[in-house]
Amino acid sequence: MGFAIAIDGPAAAGKGTISKAVAAHFGFAHLDTGLLYRAVGARVLAGVDPIAAARALVAEDLEDAGLRTADVAQAASRVAVIGAVRAALVDFQRAFARRAGGAVLDGRDIGTVICPEAEAKLFVTASAEVRAARRHAELVARGAEAVFETVLAEVKERDARDAGRAEAPMVAALDAVVIDTSDMSIDAAVSAAIAAVEAART
Ligand code: DC
């Protein structure tokens, strides 16, 4: 049997960076489950029905470089409230979680709905202001025009939708280790995550 690590939390809290580093440290496979919702969101922006898009999703769809835009992120958050969309994506995620060599899944509902029996659960968070500042800096570094207040408003809008929906809302599992990265370096956050997983392994 594999070893599953569930890493949940809001956008730009450092989940992705931490998940990749934790997966590399333990030699586990990594699935960014946000990409599933982004791939569906991107299809919806192209005019496809969300439920049909979710049911037709294949692994290659996750490799589309266009999934990282702010428009696709908002579309992903909107399709993620639809129960039938979520249901269509469950089996793929559960099979990934149980692969033999161990798995890290990051998202919003991994420790609560997809894999409540995960051997280690983390909830990675940070204040909305810190997360918006990180996202803003990323956009500016990429040469994009970005206004901090707009980025902050988008972060807050997505948090409210992701945490407020009826189906599988974003919430820390009762047994998750919460890591607030607001005042932490990336190295410190990765070390804290690895230490929490090590503690769950013993
Ligand atoms: O992690 P991300 O920013 O790529 O996620 C995009 C959206 O997808 C997020 O706002 C909500 C949704 N999502 C979800 O509902 N459940 C997940 N496990 C992962 C993402």
Side-chain angles (χ1 to χ4, degrees), residues 72-150:
V72 171
Q74 292 293 347
S77 172
R78 285 194 297 271
V79 300
V81 307
I82 305 169
V85 166
R86 306 197 71 84
L89 304 176
V90 165
D91 288 351
F92 179 77
Q93 295 176 81
R94 289 201 175 137
F96 193 97
R98 285 296 151 215
R99 57 201 287 150
V104 179
L105 286 83
D106 75 87
R108 302 290 187 287
D109 64 338
I110 308 304
T112 50
V113 173
I114 297 299
C115 201
E117 74 290 355
E119 282 74 13
K121 295 183 193 177
L122 308 180
F123 192 84
V124 178
T125 189
S127 73
E129 286 71 20
V130 166
R131 290 184 289 120
R134 288 178 188 159
R135 191 44 58 84
H136 181 253
E138 253 170 51
L139 290 167
V140 170
R142 268 195 256 147
E145 297 244 339
V147 178
F148 173 76
E149 283 71 25
T150 311

Side-chain angles (χ1 to χ4, degrees), residues 15 33-34 37-38 76-77 80 86 107-109 158 162 165:
K15 239 179 346 121
T33 65
Y37 295 90
R38 285 172 183 261
S77 172
R86 306 197 71 84
R108 302 290 187 287
D109 64 338
R158 204 138 68 89
D162 294 347
R165 67 184 176 224

